[in-house]
Amino acid sequence: MTTNRREMLGAALPLGAVGLVAASGAARAQVASAPRTLFEVPQVTVPVAGSEARFPVRRIYCIGRNYAAHAREMGSDPNREPPFFFQKPTDAIQFVAPGTVGDHPYPSLTKNYHYEVELVAALKSGGRNIPINAALDHVYGYALGLDMTRRDLQRALGDEKKPWEIGKSFDRSAPIGPIHPVETTGHFKEGPISLAVNGTVKQNSDLKNMIWSVAEQISKLSEAFELKAGDIIYSGTPENVGPVVAGDTILCKIQGLPDLSVRIIPPLA
Ligand code: MN
């Protein structure tokens, strides 16, 4: 009798629900009335360093032109204009484990593919209109990330006053290392950040050169969006962004986090 009922429910529900059905009578009743999901869509997660836990990613926010020298090289005034933000889809995440080199396919449509090394803040909670002095209370941890960019498309679309989407928010455009809980690293307010291509240092700065600190970024973002647990923020890149081609290896460093490395491989067929 029980088996029959379980089979019946199992046939009508996604696989993940079957375990719940077996768990208890209460869970069984709850699951039986839950709406059916048409198919499984994976939750994007990033491993947490030193733990079996994974950090579930809700949204990826990125801040633009957050180092004065980079703002200048991109042709804008580095004075404290309000920070601006864009998003990447969560499945743009490409996790790369420390000590490994991730294969990163050169994307379609571009002839000028750029690296941007960035500190990433991961939130455990959020809210609206978060004051700067409370902002860091929402940070779960930090990671090292790359905001990969089809620079030619980003520039062309900007010139045409069209959305950047295709220049910034494409598949695999967000390589990232594991998230390190704040309790193990503290907050990142200063310290070296660098990127090398094939062993030659290209980007080399200090987190203290960010125009808007992580706390200020969270506060400003929360004026525009209700932030929530699972949101991550790519906090901007220093100057000397530049192109890579298939065969190049990128090595990113932030003091206090393990290195992040990817190899650019030929485009996917
Ligand atoms: Mn960036």
Side-chain angles (χ1 to χ4, degrees):
M1 177 65 189
T2 307
T3 308
N4 288 344
R5 178 166 170 75
R6 201 174 293 165
E7 281 171 0
M8 191 177 73
L9 287 169
L13 290 161
L15 274 180
V18 176
L20 269 182
V21 171
S24 72
R28 188 180 305 163
Q30 201 174 9
V31 169
S33 63
R36 178 171 170 264
T37 302
L38 288 177
F39 42 79
E40 297 281 316
V41 175
Q43 163 74 57
V44 173
T45 62
V46 177
V48 173
S51 162
E52 291 298 305
R54 298 180 73 93
F55 183 94
V57 179
R58 174 179 176 267
R59 290 186 183 172
I60 304 174
Y61 292 105
C62 304
I63 179 168
R65 295 173 197 167
N66 197 29
Y67 289 74
H70 175 60
R72 263 183 244 111
E73 79 180 348
M74 297 306 286
S76 67
D77 182 349
N79 292 320
R80 277 172 66 101
E81 294 169 1
F84 72 92
F85 302 96
F86 57 93
Q87 292 187 43
K88 292 178 186 265
T90 55
D91 64 353
I93 291 279
Q94 178 187 7
F95 174 70
V96 183
T100 72
V101 181
D103 280 342
H104 183 90
Y106 196 93
S108 61
L109 302 183
T110 184
K111 292 184 166 55
N112 193 18
Y113 192 42
H114 276 207
Y115 46 77
E116 298 189 357
V117 62
E118 310 201 358
L119 174 70
V120 182
L123 304 190
K124 64 183 176 189
S125 55
R128 288 187 298 271
N129 299 312
I130 298 168
I132 293 169
N133 63 12
L136 293 182
D137 296 344
H138 297 284
V139 175
Y140 172 77
Y142 292 92
L144 181 45
L146 274 165
D147 167 16
M148 297 303 293
T149 303
R150 290 161 159 158
R151 190 73 69 202
D152 43 359
L153 296 182
Q154 181 201 18
R155 287 206 177 111
L157 291 161
D159 289 347
E160 295 172 28
K161 302 200 186 317
K162 288 175 180 166
W164 277 5
E165 199 78 1
I166 205 170
K168 282 290 194 181
S169 307
F170 50 93
D171 301 339
R172 301 177 196 79
S173 60
I176 194 169
I179 293 173
H180 290 251
V182 166
E183 303 84 71
T184 63
T185 61
H187 289 287
F188 286 80
K189 295 175 179 175
E190 59 180 13
I193 176 171
S194 68
L195 177 146
V197 178
N198 304 329
T200 303
V201 175
K202 302 286 189 180
Q203 295 189 274
N204 193 9
S205 187
D206 192 291
L207 296 173
K208 70 175 187 236
N209 294 330
M210 285 195 284
I211 297 171
W212 300 91
S213 68
V214 170
E216 289 170 324
Q217 293 168 42
I218 291 169
S219 180
K220 278 287 180 191
L221 254 181
S222 74
E223 294 174 4
F225 305 96
E226 180 174 357
L227 299 179
K228 294 193 175 179
D231 291 345
I232 68 174
I233 304 168
Y234 278 65
S235 61
T237 196
E239 65 276 19
N240 297 325
V241 297
V244 283
V245 296
D248 287 344
T249 298
I250 298 174
L251 178 63
C252 306
K253 292 177 181 285
I254 287 178
Q255 190 176 82
L257 293 173
D259 297 349
L260 170 70
S261 186
V262 298
R263 179 192 307 112
I264 310 299
I265 63 171
L268 298 174

